[in-house]
Amino acid sequence: QVQLVESGGGLVQPGGSLRLSCAASGFTFSTYAMIWYRQAPGKEREMVAQIGTSAGRANYADSVKGRFTISRDNAKNTVYLQMNSLKPEDTAVYYCRAIGRNSYWGQGTQVTVSS
């Protein structure tokens, strides 16, 4: 059974940090590119960061460049999103997605940036 389980969301003050994790199971994680998306209320889902099967290749949305870092640990079947200097506009539900032979989505984790 394929599963992508996000964790690490929560409430944080502006300027703070969070690290999201997405634990994968049920497929060959190392052969899939991994992507973090987010969706704010009333807005479309947008790509935040993506990383290839090789951990060295990553791309970011302009809105998060220099603040967010995506990484993966193929030995742990986990992808991470380190989020620093958080802003209220980063508030959203964050989803991870695996793309390869198939496409899989996690259930999402809420991130709220507010004072």
Side-chain angles (χ1 to χ4, degrees):
Q1 181 182 0
V2 171
Q3 280 193 310
L4 289 174
V5 180
E6 298 98 335
S7 61
L11 174 63
V12 63
Q13 291 186 342
S17 299
L18 284 174
R19 189 175 84 152
L20 305 183
S21 300
C22 172
S25 60
F27 63 99
T28 307
F29 179 77
S30 62
T31 67
Y32 280 67
M34 298 299 297
I35 307 176
W36 284 99
Y37 291 80
R38 67 186 180 187
Q39 187 166 21
K43 294 188 177 181
E44 293 186 354
R45 192 171 296 188
E46 62 173 350
M47 189 279 289
V48 175
Q50 59 184 6
I51 188 166
T53 54
S54 170
R57 295 184 295 121
N59 292 295
Y60 299 91
D62 287 343
S63 58
V64 306
K65 279 182 181 176
R67 299 189 298 122
F68 290 11
T69 303
I70 188 171
S71 62
R72 66 188 296 160
D73 185 338
N74 287 343
K76 295 183 178 180
N77 288 354
T78 301
V79 62
Y80 304 97
L81 186 67
Q82 178 67 44
M83 306 186 295
N84 299 328
S85 302
L86 283 161
K87 305 175 182 180
E89 51 263 43
D90 294 317
T91 296
V93 178
Y94 284 71
Y95 301 88
C96 67
R97 181 186 183 190
I99 292 183
R101 183 173 181 177
N102 297 293
S103 175
Y104 307 114
W105 287 89
Q107 83 290 346
T109 185
Q110 176 70 46
V111 171
T112 302
V113 185
S114 175
S115 55

